[in-house]
Amino acid sequence: QVQLRESGPGLVEPSQTLSLTCTVSGDSISSGAFWWSWIRQSPEKGLEWIAYIYYNGRSACNSSLKSRCTISVDPSNNQFSLRLTSVTAADTAIYYCARRFGSGANTDWFDFWGQGTLVTVSS
Amino acid sequence: DIQMTQSPSSLSASIGDRVTITCQASQDVRWYLNWYQQKPGKAPKLLIHGAITLEPGVPSRFCGTGSGTDFTFTISSLQPEDVATYYCQHYIELPLTFGGGTKVEIK
């Protein structure tokens, strides 16, 4: 069974960088069969897709986050990570990592999710 | 960005009732539409992809229809374990966006 687990600080100061890692078990990122994603959820914005990445580093970030978003992958450790710079209170949310089904076009559904981790932006 | 509008935002129904949720896209998303169920304190769970395709293991009382801009999600006979918030999500282009959710409760 595929499992994903988010890890990282639960509290980040405004203007600093949010860094999260997702560790995957039960599947191999380097298989190239899937893409790997970050999604967040807040009462204000609801569910928001942030980014996803392929095992070879090919990636996409939500244009609404502009240049603040960086997603990276470490196939050797079966992990992928998110960095979000210059955070504000609006970035306070539950952050989920998830598996995007398939590697081809138009397969953007998320079939396995982590439990989520709450990140609060506050001084 | 494509806006996904769900209605109603919440509903209350009796056990055994038929429940219908609609999702409207601000532009044509063809059949590139997913439905998720989220129970309190849990991550969303994928129920339907491609507007109509039920995920393995999902009860057949759940059903999705529609294409283009108008979609419907139906629970044919509401069960106690169906209490949750339901979300639609398109995937015709980036950024992927979700609807605002429909909270389903038992009357």
Side-chain angles (χ1 to χ4, degrees):
Chain A
Q1 177 77 334
V2 179
Q3 291 187 319
L4 299 94
R5 186 180 76 252
E6 304 90 353
S7 59
L11 181 64
V12 182
E13 292 189 357
S15 80
Q16 298 303 301
T17 297
L18 179 161
S19 295
L20 295 172
T21 295
C22 182
T23 301
V24 179
S25 58
D27 195 358
S28 173
I29 288 178
S30 58
S31 73
F34 306 99
W35 287 59
W36 303 90
S37 185
W38 288 98
I39 297 163
R40 67 183 180 181
Q41 185 173 30
S42 65
E44 295 76 23
K45 296 183 184 178
L47 285 163
E48 182 180 21
W49 170 74
I50 301 171
Y52 53 41
I53 193 163
Y54 197 43
Y55 80 102
N56 61 4
R58 186 177 168 195
S59 65
C61 279
N62 192 321
S63 53
S64 69
L65 297 170
K66 297 178 183 176
S67 58
R68 298 197 299 129
C69 165
T70 302
I71 187 170
S72 59
V73 64
D74 180 2
S76 63
N77 285 311
N78 228 26
Q79 295 178 327
F80 62 104
S81 298
L82 174 71
R83 280 171 46 94
L84 197 60
T85 60
S86 305
V87 296
T88 68
D91 295 307
T92 294
I94 297 172
Y95 285 74
Y96 295 101
C97 57
R99 189 180 81 171
R100 174 206 174 201
F101 181 85
S103 58
N106 297 119
T107 56
D108 292 283
W109 54 89
F110 303 102
D111 58 352
F112 286 95
W113 297 60
Q115 64 184 13
T117 188
L118 174 63
V119 179
T120 302
V121 178
S122 175
S123 55
Chain B
D1 298 0
I2 297 174
Q3 306 303 313
M4 307 300 292
T5 303
Q6 285 182 238
S7 61
S9 56
S10 66
L11 64 89
S12 182
S14 299
I15 299 299
D17 280 357
R18 183 181 186 87
V19 168
T20 298
I21 297 168
T22 64
C23 176
Q24 186 169 57
S26 59
Q27 63 191 69
D28 186 356
V29 298
R30 300 175 71 180
W31 54 89
Y32 297 137
L33 192 285
N34 305 320
W35 290 97
Y36 298 85
Q37 174 193 66
Q38 186 177 33
K39 295 185 178 181
K42 300 293 186 181
K45 174 187 175 183
L46 179 67
L47 297 181
I48 290 171
H49 74 264
I52 62 171
T53 303
L54 216 60
E55 290 299 297
V58 174
S60 59
R61 63 179 181 275
F62 296 106
C63 175
T65 61
S67 65
T69 60
D70 296 298
F71 300 85
T72 300
F73 174 81
T74 301
I75 306 173
S76 60
S77 177
L78 186 65
Q79 300 301 304
E81 61 266 31
D82 300 337
V83 169
T85 302
Y86 295 85
Y87 295 93
C88 60
Q89 174 236 322
H90 84 81
Y91 58 102
I92 195 165
E93 64 181 31
L94 297 183
L96 311 173
T97 56
F98 294 81
T102 297
K103 187 174 184 179
V104 174
E105 297 176 319
I106 302 294
K107 191 181 295 182

